[in-house]
Amino acid sequence: MDMGRRIRISPQTLLLLEALLAKPAHWHHGYSLSQQTELASGTLYPILMRLEKLAWLETKWEDPSAVGRPPRHLYRLTSEARAWAREELQEAQARKIWKPVLNRA
Amino acid sequence: MEINSTIRWRNIANTFVRVIIFLLPADARDWGRAFAAELSAIETPLASFQWLLGGIMLITRARWNQFCNSLGRPFGVSGGNILESEPGIPAPRTPRFVTVSLLAVSALILLHPDVRMALQTVIYANTGYGWMRHTAAALIKKQEKIPEKSKDPQLLALVSFFSYVEGDGQKLADQAIARDPTLNWIEYEHLSRWGSNGPVVRPPARVVQLQKNDPDNAVPRLLSAEIIFDRATAGTAATPYLRSPAEQGLSGMEKRAAENADWLAAMDYSFSAPAYDSYTARRFQLLQDVSTRYGLNDPNLTMLVLVNQHLPDFLNIQSYGNVLLYRGKQSELQGDKVAAIADYRKILKFSEGMKTGSRTGIEAYISESLAKKALARLEPLLEQAGQTEEAAGLESFWNHDQELLVFPQATSHFYRTQPWTQRERAVVAMYTCAAAIILLCALATVSILFALLRGRAVLYSRRRMLSFFCLSVDLTPLLLVACAVTLFSLYRPYALQYKSYFSSPHSVQDFENLSIGCSGTPRYSSKHAKVHRSDSGSRNRFFVLVHSDRDSVFHCTLAYDPFHSPPSDFLTSLRPSLVSPGVSRAPTSFGL
């Protein structure tokens, strides 16, 4: 796995980073991320896969006994990645190729 | 109802998801399960459907990434360093994108028209008469697709040469001549054909008409004489070429013919003709016109047209020549030098017409050999008569540097003793490349399949075989490119030479070199000489092996199959070696 390599940032990736940074310590479900960012599943999951491969993302499965239904997969940014993500968003905003879309907590 | 619908929809979605997970690469299947797990949180079928559509994109991207990542790995290596993964199991070393690129380059070169033609002619050169049938069939099929009204007479005329179904060729020829009377010379082609049981039926009316259409030409006149000759000499053995009638007398065949007054008259009429034209130039012009008009670019077709040409029966000509020589000798012995000189001059006049009017090496050879025999008798007589100028003129006309290669009476084994020419070496290289390409294509396919299966346990015990195929995966693409490039560069000069003939208006005069440049592949003359055997018993005919040697015009050898040798053994023993490219398969057509 490529640890911490900077990624090619697309507008869709910036959207996702913004959503993940809204509650950085919170574990997110895939469907809720899709709804927040309005990204289709076919766009969302490749980004998640790439972020995970580059060690920006940590993932886990829900505890099935805790939820009482089939477990879902959870995602959040790693602690180092949160700083990188903020840098990327600030840089993108400075270059005027992106502006915040989601409300930050 | 609604619950049933929801359950049904859930079942469909679950099935779809299972398919998505199945289609994902192995390293992405966990993500597929994560993707599938979200379905339980999606409430509406529409939203579920939209979610599932994303799975298609997921599969596409995952597979594409897998493909791109695999390009740098050899075939059969799944991931990681090839030296670390699956240690101890042989593996190819060449990245697969290199292998695929080399194979693609080879394919592009092999698809080049000149290379395809080179492969085709090499294959055809070794299929006996199969290439003739295939080439003729392709032409016939092409003309059948053209609407009746649009068929031009020249195309019909050309196709009529190759219609081997009895009667079909004649019908096409009649149609061609009806549309264009200037094509009436093609009648000679159809009247001089040989079938499996001897010459085709020659209606006298057609023969007469042919002679009327071309009154000054010796060739149609010879046709009448040949008909009589065949009847008169049926059952007799052919005359060995190297006999000298003046010294040894006439052979049985010649005696039989000489007893037939009709034959003598027909041959005298033929030898008196002002001109000689076996229609070679017109035949080639026809081919050139039709090829240009219909975009035919097939050296095999040209070869077929040239070598299938029917020429006068040289045995018939030689027999009459020998009769005249013998008669001349008898006249000399009786003191009648005037009659002797007349007979010898008759031979020389005919030979001169044949030499100047013909286009093929064999006709030049026959005319020269006849003339030289007559000249040997005539010169002393002219000198005795004080006609030294005429003698000197004849001498200079007939005795020049052209070497006539006469094969002595065949021995049972003859092997090539001359050193190889550059052209012959090129031909050998072409053969080698073509064979190598066919083998390498098969080997590359099998090797890649084996390499892809190298992870299978069944192959673990077959390491040597696996090693061989893994090495083959690395090497065969390179060798394939090398062979394809070599074949292209070897054949290209022939292709260009061939194409240049079809753009040149003068090429019809350069028949010899056209034949040489026709295909560039060797024709094993031992396969392509033909021996006629009549059904009436032990009659053996001459057969002619025609070859080019040392970049010169055709030489030809005449040989005689004395007794009872099976044709194939005898032929094989005569000429097992390669001959130069573009050698005519003329023996089948030289009317023997």
Side-chain angles (χ1 to χ4, degrees):
Chain A
M1 192 185 295
D2 294 308
M3 298 296 291
R5 205 178 73 186
R6 303 309 285 265
I7 59 172
R8 178 173 44 87
I9 297 291
S10 63
Q12 292 83 1
T13 307
L14 290 169
L15 261 179
L16 178 62
L17 290 176
E18 189 192 13
L20 289 166
L21 281 174
K23 292 178 185 174
H26 182 74
W27 289 98
H28 303 265
H29 292 112
Y31 186 56
S32 67
L33 286 171
S34 171
Q35 287 186 306
Q36 283 177 62
T37 59
E38 295 181 359
L39 292 174
S41 58
T43 306
L44 175 68
Y45 273 81
I47 298 172
L48 288 171
M49 288 162 74
R50 200 163 76 239
L51 289 174
E52 194 257 348
K53 192 175 174 185
L54 295 172
W56 280 46
L57 208 64
E58 45 184 343
T59 67
K60 69 172 187 178
W61 287 95
E62 281 178 332
D63 182 1
S65 58
V67 294
R69 56 171 167 73
R72 294 165 70 185
H73 212 216
L74 299 165
Y75 315 96
R76 71 177 181 188
L77 290 171
T78 60
S79 48
E80 297 95 340
R82 288 169 207 167
W84 297 332
R86 286 194 190 95
E87 279 176 31
E88 294 291 345
L89 288 171
Q90 282 164 10
E91 192 181 324
Q93 200 171 356
R95 287 165 61 195
K96 295 184 184 174
I97 58 173
W98 175 84
K99 57 185 177 182
V101 174
L102 307 172
N103 292 325
R104 295 275 184 96
Chain B
M1 198 74 154
E2 205 171 305
I3 294 170
N4 286 341
S5 165
T6 304
I7 291 171
R8 196 181 306 126
W9 170 248
R10 289 263 179 232
N11 289 340
I12 293 171
N14 288 335
T15 305
F16 198 80
V17 144
R18 279 199 291 273
V19 169
I20 289 171
I21 293 171
F22 174 75
L23 289 175
L24 281 169
D27 56 353
R29 286 212 180 114
D30 281 341
W31 281 99
R33 291 185 195 97
F35 168 87
E38 297 303 300
L39 272 178
S40 59
I42 303 172
E43 291 174 358
T44 63
L46 179 63
S48 298
F49 177 70
Q50 288 170 336
W51 184 257
L52 286 172
L53 276 182
I56 298 171
M57 182 58 78
L58 193 63
I59 293 166
T60 308
R61 286 195 181 191
R63 284 290 177 187
W64 174 253
N65 289 338
Q66 185 194 42
F67 170 72
C68 292
N69 291 336
S70 73
L71 288 178
R73 293 196 298 270
F75 279 105
V77 176
S78 52
N81 188 310
I82 59 165
L83 297 177
E84 289 170 2
S85 64
E86 303 153 333
I89 301 175
R93 299 301 175 107
T94 311
R96 62 183 72 182
F97 81 90
V98 173
T99 304
V100 170
S101 301
L102 288 172
L103 291 173
V105 166
S106 306
L108 281 174
I109 298 171
L110 292 174
L111 285 172
H112 191 283
D114 291 349
V115 177
R116 285 205 326 260
M117 187 55 66
L119 286 169
Q120 187 185 68
T121 48
V122 166
I123 291 167
Y124 279 0
N126 288 284
T127 56
Y129 293 110
W131 70 276
M132 295 171 74
R133 279 193 293 273
H134 185 90
T135 306
L139 178 65
I140 291 167
K141 218 182 255 187
K142 196 176 183 90
Q143 72 86 25
E144 281 171 356
K145 287 181 187 168
I146 300 170
E148 198 60 40
K149 287 182 186 171
S150 308
K151 281 184 191 170
D152 82 72
Q154 285 192 311
L155 175 64
L156 289 171
L158 188 67
V159 175
S160 76
F161 293 161
F162 308 121
S163 296
Y164 295 113
V165 176
E166 198 170 325
D168 278 8
Q170 189 66 70
K171 277 187 207 158
L172 286 170
D174 290 342
Q175 286 173 27
I177 296 169
R179 294 180 197 208
D180 182 0
T182 62
L183 289 169
N184 51 29
W185 59 270
I186 65 174
E187 274 281 77
Y188 180 73
E189 163 72 27
H190 295 282
L191 290 171
S192 56
R193 276 190 176 184
W194 275 72
S196 53
N197 296 321
V200 297
V201 172
R202 296 162 173 173
R206 282 189 180 259
V207 175
V208 167
Q209 185 59 47
L210 179 64
Q211 290 166 1
K212 277 186 187 167
N213 292 337
D214 200 356
D216 292 339
N217 190 357
V219 169
R221 297 184 188 188
L222 283 167
L223 197 54
S224 298
E226 284 167 23
I227 296 169
I228 305 169
F229 182 76
D230 286 341
R231 274 203 309 264
T233 59
T236 58
T239 306
Y241 177 73
L242 294 175
R243 279 183 97 258
S244 170
E247 279 74 33
Q248 296 162 286
L250 294 175
S251 68
M253 171 185 268
E254 289 158 355
K255 279 182 190 161
R256 184 82 74 83
E259 288 163 4
N260 190 307
D262 290 338
W263 179 71
L264 289 171
M267 286 307 292
D268 185 64
Y269 182 53
S270 304
F271 269 48
S272 309
Y276 177 98
D277 179 9
S278 53
Y279 307 115
T280 307
R282 288 196 232 191
R283 194 180 170 93
F284 178 66
Q285 191 64 60
L286 179 70
L287 170 69
Q288 195 177 32
D289 291 344
V290 172
S291 294
T292 307
R293 197 172 306 130
Y294 292 95
L296 305 173
N297 180 25
D298 185 352
N300 286 300
L301 180 62
T302 303
M303 197 64 124
L304 188 62
V305 167
L306 296 175
V307 305
N308 264 331
Q309 179 179 4
H310 292 272
L311 294 171
D313 185 347
F314 299 128
L315 199 57
N316 176 52
I317 292 171
Q318 182 196 265
S319 295
Y320 188 65
N322 285 345
V323 165
L324 290 177
L325 285 169
Y326 180 76
R327 199 166 71 181
K329 175 70 176 179
Q330 297 307 307
S331 299
E332 282 185 66
L333 290 172
Q334 289 161 12
D336 188 355
K337 292 183 184 172
V338 170
I341 288 173
D343 280 340
Y344 301 147
R345 275 185 175 148
K346 196 177 281 187
I347 297 172
L348 283 168
K349 182 178 172 298
F350 175 79
S351 298
E352 187 181 328
M354 190 176 184
K355 181 175 170 171
T356 53
S358 65
R359 290 283 183 276
T360 66
I362 182 64
E363 287 169 305
Y365 177 76
I366 295 290
S367 66
E368 295 231 6
S369 64
L370 259 181
K372 286 196 171 184
K373 286 185 201 174
L375 195 61
R377 309 287 328 157
L378 180 62
E379 259 187 306
L381 293 178
L382 288 176
E383 279 166 10
Q384 283 169 24
Q387 292 166 291
T388 50
E389 273 190 30
E390 185 184 346
L394 288 168
E395 169 74 27
S396 68
F397 183 81
W398 287 108
N399 281 333
H400 48 76
D401 292 336
Q402 182 177 355
E403 182 185 330
L404 297 177
L405 192 69
V406 178
F407 191 79
Q409 187 147 8
T411 55
S412 57
H413 293 285
F414 171 74
Y415 294 97
R416 184 185 183 83
T417 55
Q418 303 98 318
W420 292 84
T421 65
Q422 187 182 352
R423 185 178 289 150
E424 286 164 333
R425 281 195 287 271
V427 161
V428 171
M430 270 194 263
Y431 256 51
T432 307
C433 283
I437 284 168
I438 294 167
L439 284 171
L440 287 170
C441 283
L443 187 59
T445 307
V446 171
S447 302
I448 289 173
L449 282 172
F450 257 82
L452 290 171
L453 295 172
R454 65 180 274 280
R456 300 289 174 96
V458 68
L459 289 178
Y460 289 177
S461 60
R462 294 185 165 87
R463 277 171 197 270
R464 275 196 191 166
M465 190 165 67
L466 197 53
S467 294
F468 169 76
F469 283 118
C470 289
L471 183 64
S472 174
V473 169
D474 291 328
L475 291 179
T476 48
L478 275 170
L479 292 173
L480 204 48
V481 169
C483 288
V485 168
T486 305
L487 185 61
F488 174 79
S489 48
L490 284 170
Y491 188 72
R492 184 84 173 142
Y494 297 103
L496 290 173
Q497 187 176 16
Y498 172 76
K499 285 169 194 168
S500 73
Y501 277 105
F502 277 84
S503 59
S504 163
H506 304 295
S507 57
V508 69
Q509 307 300 328
D510 198 4
F511 173 81
E512 302 286 356
N513 280 324
L514 170 69
S515 299
I516 290 170
C518 200
S519 72
T521 58
R523 307 286 178 178
Y524 284 92
S525 60
S526 61
K527 277 189 187 174
H528 302 141
K530 188 173 175 182
V531 172
H532 284 269
R533 285 186 182 274
S534 78
D535 289 335
S536 57
S538 62
R539 180 182 189 173
N540 294 322
R541 290 252 202 183
F542 285 110
F543 61 89
V544 176
L545 302 176
V546 180
H547 57 279
S548 66
D549 195 8
R550 299 182 182 279
D551 296 326
S552 64
V553 296
F554 289 129
H555 296 293
C556 51
T557 55
L558 291 173
Y560 172 50
D561 173 11
F563 304 106
H564 310 305
S565 299
S568 56
D569 291 345
F570 181 65
L571 295 170
T572 305
S573 70
L574 267 187
R575 192 80 182 174
S577 64
L578 291 174
V579 295
S580 296
V583 168
S584 169
R585 295 188 51 199
T588 63
S589 69
F590 285 171
L592 301 179

